[in-house]
C-alpha cells in the first residue's frame, strides 16, 4: 500500500489509466484522497499502449512534442530517450512514473466501467471483469478516458460502398505503412494524425499518397533551428499577450510568426490557408510540407462522393485509390454516464459543455480530465488539471460556483464557434491560476527571462507553495539555456520596454 494513502479521505473513481488517469491518481494521493483507477485494457498507458483497444498509435510513431514537454514535473525521461520519444518510450515512462509513486496497487486493469450514475450524495460505478459485474460507491468520479476514445467518421456519399482492395479505416486503426507499400492511398483530414500518417506513407514507399481536407491549416514543423516549436511559441509572454491584445491583433501577430518559422503552406505546393490563423487553425508535422514540395504527397479539397474505388473531390477531379485512411478526429466517450447527465454535458457540435474543461453544474462530484483537443504539449497540461481537481476534491481550493460554471460553459461554446483550438500555454496558465499554482514572478527575479520568454517546462509550476520542488528553480534555468540558449537573469532594458508596451510590467 502507498504510504501516502489516506483510507479515510475522499474516495475517487478514476476512469482510465492513460496519462490523465495516472497523473490524477498521483495528485489525488498527494492531497489525501483514495483513488481507484479503472482500466478496460490489460495494462496501463492509454494511447501509448499499443495493446489497448482504443489506442490510436502505431509502432513507429514518435511524439510531436519534445522530450521535456512529453513528461510530468516529477520525473524526467531516461537519458537514452531521443528528443522525440517513441511510443514504447512513452509507455515505459508512464510505467516508471507509476512505480515511483506506488500507483499500480490502485489500478484495476481488465476492468471496464459499464455505468456511472449519481445516487444521493455519492456516485455508483458499475464495472465488469471476467468474474462479473461489481457495484461500488464513490465520493467523486474523474473521467480521464481521453479525448481520442471514439473515432469520428464523416458522412460522405458512397463511402460505405468503397471497393478499393485496402478498404476504409480510421486513423485510430492505422498500424503502419507496410500494407500500403506500392499502393495508392487517400488520407482525409488536416490534423496532426492525418498529416503524420500521410508523411509516414509517403516516406515508406506508398506508390501514391493523396491528402484531402476541408481547410488548409498552417503546418508547423517540430523544430526550427534545432529548437522545439513549443519552446518558441508557447511561452508565458505569448499567453499574457493573448490576454491583453485584441483577437485580430493576436491573429496577425501569430500569422507573422508562423510565416517566419514555417512559411505559408501554398509555398510548398499545398493549398492556401485562410489569412486569419485562428480561422484556419494550426497543426504540426515535420515531414508533410517537404513531402508535398517533393511531389511525394498530392493535395486535394474535401471528398464529394465515392463510387466503387473512385473518389471525387469538391473541385470535380477524381482519383482511383486502393485504400482510404480517415484522419477525421475523435470525440470523448461518455456512454458510461447516466444518459440524462451525458446529454447535459455533450454539445451538438461534438464538444463538451464544461467550465474550465472540467466541471458542470448539473454534475456535482464529477470532473472530466483531458477530454479536449490542444495545440501543443498535453502531459504538462494534464498534470495541472489533475492538481486543480485534486485540490478541489481535498477542499484546498473552492469549486467554481454555479454562476461561474455557467459563464465558463458559455465561454467554451463561444471558443468552439470560433473554431479556435486552445493553446497549451494559455490552457496551462488557466488551470494553474484556478488551482493557485502559477508562480508569483516577483519572487523569482533571477528567473524572470526564463519564466516569461523561455520554455514553459513542467517545473515552472513547482516553484512555490506546498508542492514546491527544491530543484525546480535550477531546472527551469538550465532547461531555458539547454533548449533555447536563453540565459537566466533579470530583464534587459529592451525587454522591459516590450513588457511596458503590453502592460506586463505590473505583473512584475
Amino acid at each position: 500500500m502507498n504510504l501516502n494513502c489516506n483510507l479515510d479521505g475522499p474516495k475517487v473513481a478514476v476512469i482510465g489509466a492513460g496519462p490523465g488517469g495516472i497523473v490524477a491518481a498521483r495528485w489525488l494521493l498527494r492531497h489525501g484522497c483514495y483513488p481507484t483507477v479503472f482500466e478496460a485494457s490489460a495494462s496501463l498507458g492509454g494511447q501509448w499502449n499499443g495493446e489497448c483497444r482504443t489506442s490510436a498509435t502505431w509502432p513507429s510513431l514518435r511524439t510531436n512534442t519534445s522530450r521535456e514537454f512529453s513528461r510530468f514535473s516529477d520525473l524526467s525521461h531516461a537519458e537514452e530517450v531521443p528528443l522525440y520519444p517513441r511510443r514504447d518510450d512513452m509507455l515505459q515512462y508512464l510505467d516508471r512514473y507509476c512505480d515511483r509513486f506506488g500507483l499500480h496497487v490502485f489500478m484495476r486493469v481488465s476492468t471496464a466501467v459499464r455505468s456511472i450514475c449519481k445516487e444521493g450524495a455519492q456516485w455508483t460505478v458499475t464495472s465488469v471483469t471476467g468474474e462479473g459485474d461489481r457495484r461500488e460507491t464513490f465520493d467523486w468520479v474523474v473521467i480521464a478516458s481521453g479525448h481520442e476514445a471514439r473515432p469520428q467518421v464523416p458522412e460522405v456519399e458512397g463511402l460505405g460502398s468503397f471497393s478499393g482492395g485496402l478498404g476504409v479505416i480510421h486513423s485510430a486503426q492505422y498500424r503502419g505503412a507496410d500494407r500500403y507499400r506500392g499502393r495508392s492511398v487517400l488520407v482525409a483530414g488536416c490534423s496532426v494524425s492525418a498529416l503524420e500518417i500521410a508523411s509516414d506513407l509517403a516516406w515508406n514507399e506508398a506508390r501514391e499518397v493523396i491528402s484531402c481536407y476541408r481547410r488548409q491549416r498552417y503546418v508547423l514543423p517540430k523544430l526550427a533551428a534545432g529548437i522545439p516549436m513549443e519552446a518558441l511559441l508557447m511561452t508565458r509572454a505569448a499567453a499574457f499577450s493573448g490576454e491583453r491584445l485584441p483577437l485580430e491583433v493576436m491573429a496577425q501577430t501569430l500569422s507573422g510568426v508562423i510565416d517566419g518559422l514555417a512559411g505559408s503552406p501554398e509555398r510548398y505546393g499545398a493549398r492556401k490557408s485562410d489569412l486569419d490563423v485562428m480561422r484556419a487553425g494550426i497543426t504540426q508535422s515535420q515531414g508533410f510540407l517537404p513531402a508535398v514540395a517533393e511531389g511525394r504527397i498530392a493535395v486535394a479539397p474535401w471528398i464529394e462522393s465515392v463510387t466503387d474505388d473512385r473518389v471525387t473531390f469538391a473541385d470535380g477531379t477524381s482519383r482511383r485509390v486502393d485504400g482510404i485512411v480517415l484522419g477525421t478526429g475523435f470525440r470523448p466517450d461518455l456512454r458510461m454516464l447516466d444518459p440524462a447527465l451525458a446529454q447535459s454535458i455533450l454539445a451538438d457540435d461534438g464538444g463538451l459543455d464544461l467550465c474550465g474543461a472540467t466541471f458542470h453544474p448539473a454534475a456535482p462530484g464529477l470532473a472530466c480530465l483531458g477530454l479536449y483537443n490542444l495545440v501543443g504539449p498535453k502531459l504538462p497540461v494534464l498534470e495541472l488539471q489533475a492538481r486543480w481537481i485534486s485540490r478541489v476534491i481535498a477542499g484546498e481550493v473552492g469549486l467554481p460556483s454555479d454562476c461561474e460554471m455557467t459563464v465558463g460553459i458559455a465561454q467554451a461554446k463561444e471558443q468552439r464557434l470560433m473554431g479556435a483550438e486552445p493553446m497549451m500555454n494559455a490552457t496551462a496558465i488557466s488551470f494553474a491560476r484556478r488551482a493557485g499554482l502559477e508562480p508569483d514572478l516577483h519572487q523569482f527575479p533571477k528567473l524572470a527571462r526564463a519564466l516569461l520568454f523561455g520554455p514553459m517546462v513542467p517545473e515552472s509550476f513547482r516553484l512555490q507553495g506546498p508542492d514546491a520542488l527544491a530543484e525546480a528553480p535550477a531546472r527551469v534555468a538550465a532547461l531555458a539555456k539547454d533548449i533555447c540558449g536563453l540565459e537566466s537573469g533579470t530583464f534587459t532594458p529592451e525587454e522591459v520596454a516590450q513588457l511596458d508596451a503590453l502592460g506586463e510590467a505590473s505583473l512584475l
Side-chain angles (χ1 to χ4, degrees):
M1 178 63 67
N2 187 300
L3 297 179
N4 293 324
C5 179
N6 179 6
L7 295 176
D8 297 322
K11 293 178 172 54
V12 185
V14 179
I15 315 303
I22 287 169
V23 77
R26 180 266 185 272
W27 285 103
L28 286 166
L29 282 167
R30 168 65 182 82
H31 291 284
C33 305
Y34 188 98
T36 300
V37 183
F38 294 86
E39 173 53 54
S41 298
S43 56
L44 62 84
Q47 290 295 315
W48 299 110
N49 176 8
E51 302 303 316
C52 175
R53 64 178 180 80
T54 59
S55 174
T57 62
W58 56 95
S60 62
L61 178 72
R62 265 66 172 175
T63 61
N64 64 314
T65 58
S66 60
R67 180 177 55 225
E68 297 298 346
F69 290 89
S70 302
R71 62 176 179 88
F72 302 125
S73 62
D74 286 305
L75 184 67
S76 296
H77 280 279
E79 290 185 5
E80 65 272 14
V81 171
L83 182 59
Y84 290 90
R86 299 177 294 267
R87 184 177 74 175
D88 59 327
D89 294 324
M90 291 301 299
L91 185 59
Q92 289 169 16
Y93 173 83
L94 295 172
D95 193 55
R96 288 173 53 226
Y97 189 84
C98 290
D99 283 341
R100 174 162 183 169
F101 294 106
L103 303 180
H104 289 285
V105 71
F106 298 98
M107 293 185 181
R108 295 188 191 165
V109 297
S110 300
T111 304
V113 172
R114 176 169 294 176
S115 68
I116 301 170
C117 61
K118 191 74 179 287
E119 295 184 354
Q122 291 191 305
W123 292 85
T124 297
V125 176
T126 302
S127 60
V128 58
T129 67
E131 299 176 356
D133 290 2
R134 180 175 182 177
R135 284 170 53 89
E136 300 166 272
T137 58
F138 295 89
D139 301 304
W140 275 79
V141 172
V142 177
I143 299 179
S145 50
H147 182 268
E148 297 80 12
R150 295 182 66 183
Q152 289 196 108
V153 177
E155 293 185 6
V156 174
E157 181 184 343
L159 183 63
S161 61
F162 175 69
S163 63
L166 297 177
V168 180
I169 65 168
H170 191 274
S171 62
Q173 301 165 292
Y174 181 76
R175 294 296 178 263
D178 287 351
R179 71 188 295 260
Y180 297 97
R181 294 183 190 277
R183 310 296 289 275
S184 177
V185 193
L186 172 69
V187 182
C190 198
S191 65
V192 171
S193 59
L195 301 193
E196 289 292 88
I197 288 172
S199 302
D200 192 45
L201 292 167
W203 297 102
N204 284 284
E205 300 178 6
R207 176 173 58 81
E208 178 185 45
V209 180
I210 306 161
S211 178
C212 76
Y213 33 83
R214 292 185 176 90
R215 57 174 173 153
Q216 175 68 63
R217 300 189 187 201
Y218 288 89
V219 183
L220 294 172
K222 293 181 179 181
L223 291 163
I227 300 175
M229 192 58 63
E230 60 268 22
L232 289 171
L233 289 183
M234 297 178 192
T235 63
R236 276 183 176 79
F240 293 161
S241 298
E243 293 173 349
R244 288 158 174 77
L245 294 175
L247 185 61
E248 59 272 17
V249 175
M250 272 304 299
Q252 291 172 3
T253 302
L254 186 57
S255 296
V257 172
I258 291 173
D259 190 58
L261 291 172
S264 299
E266 67 267 24
R267 295 181 191 169
Y268 294 82
R271 297 168 60 199
K272 184 176 177 61
S273 299
D274 193 299
L275 292 178
D276 184 342
V277 68
M278 301 300 185
R279 187 181 299 276
I282 303 170
T283 188
Q284 192 173 37
S285 176
Q286 188 73 21
F288 179 77
L289 290 179
V292 172
E294 292 187 0
R296 297 174 185 269
I297 297 175
V299 296
W302 189 244
I303 307 168
E304 183 71 25
S305 63
V306 176
T307 304
D308 297 326
D309 63 349
R310 181 176 291 277
V311 177
T312 300
F313 301 103
D315 62 357
T317 62
S318 65
R319 296 281 188 95
R320 292 188 182 278
V321 295
D322 299 308
I324 299 174
V325 180
L326 301 171
T328 46
F330 301 83
R331 63 183 304 175
D333 189 355
L334 297 182
R335 288 175 293 183
M336 78 286 285
L337 266 185
D338 174 83
L341 180 55
Q343 188 67 29
S344 298
I345 295 174
L346 280 168
D348 293 338
D349 60 9
L352 299 183
D353 284 336
L354 295 168
C355 171
T358 307
F359 299 111
H360 193 282
L366 177 74
C368 295
L369 195 162
L371 306 189
Y372 45 79
N373 276 324
L374 195 68
V375 177
K378 197 163 188 178
L379 264 66
V381 179
L382 292 177
E383 179 174 29
L384 288 166
Q385 190 179 18
R387 293 174 69 188
W388 177 32
I389 292 170
S390 300
R391 298 201 74 191
V392 167
I393 294 174
E396 297 173 9
V397 298
L399 184 70
S401 68
D402 285 359
C403 180
E404 290 171 326
M405 288 195 203
T406 300
V407 171
I409 288 170
Q411 292 172 340
K413 287 182 176 179
E414 183 180 0
Q415 186 176 46
R416 291 202 306 272
L417 284 173
M418 290 169 52
E421 293 180 342
M423 302 289 284
M424 171 267 182
N425 50 344
T427 307
I429 289 173
S430 174
F431 287 144
R433 287 174 179 167
R434 291 176 181 272
L437 304 172
E438 176 67 350
D440 180 354
L441 302 186
H442 290 90
Q443 296 189 26
F444 303 96
K446 293 184 179 179
L447 290 178
R449 298 184 69 215
L451 287 172
L452 271 176
F453 299 116
M456 207 164 72
V457 291
E459 290 89 344
S460 69
F461 296 97
R462 301 290 300 276
L463 291 170
Q464 63 192 78
D467 297 322
L469 284 174
E471 65 271 23
R475 287 281 295 164
V476 169
L479 288 170
K481 184 175 182 179
D482 291 347
I483 295 172
C484 299
L486 185 67
E487 296 288 349
S488 59
T490 56
F491 293 118
T492 65
E494 292 78 14
E495 288 168 337
V496 171
Q498 292 175 4
L499 293 171
D500 280 336
L502 293 173
E504 295 298 339
S506 61
L507 297 170
L508 306 171

